[in-house]
Amino acid sequence: MQVLYKICLALLIIGGINWGLIGLVQFDLVGWLFGGSASLLSRIIFGIVGAAALCAIPCLFSCGSENKE
């Protein structure tokens, strides 16, 4: 399960960087790399990042409490 959370975290970082670029300089990196933000491949990437965000929600409540006694 720890590997899944690390993959989700990496995807969330990618998504966060993309949203930061969109907000700061109006540049969609994922869309640029994969043929426009409306292309099928870009939409798949956006969907995967969204799914990673949903999978990471339980980590908000459990990942930090594993080290505490």
Side-chain angles (χ1 to χ4, degrees):
M1 209 51 144
Q2 192 75 352
V3 174
L4 175 68
Y5 287 133
K6 287 186 181 189
I7 292 170
C8 289
L9 180 62
L11 289 170
L12 290 173
I13 291 170
I14 291 168
I17 290 170
N18 192 56
W19 274 109
L21 286 172
I22 291 171
L24 292 174
V25 293
Q26 296 179 353
F27 179 69
D28 181 2
L29 181 64
V30 173
W32 180 74
L33 287 174
F34 297 107
S37 51
S39 73
L40 180 63
L41 191 53
S42 292
R43 290 175 42 207
I44 290 171
I45 300 295
F46 292 140
I48 291 171
V49 171
L54 292 175
C55 289
I57 289 172
C59 190
L60 287 172
F61 304 105
S62 65
C63 287
S65 64
E66 290 176 358
N67 295 331
K68 297 177 183 175
E69 294 182 42

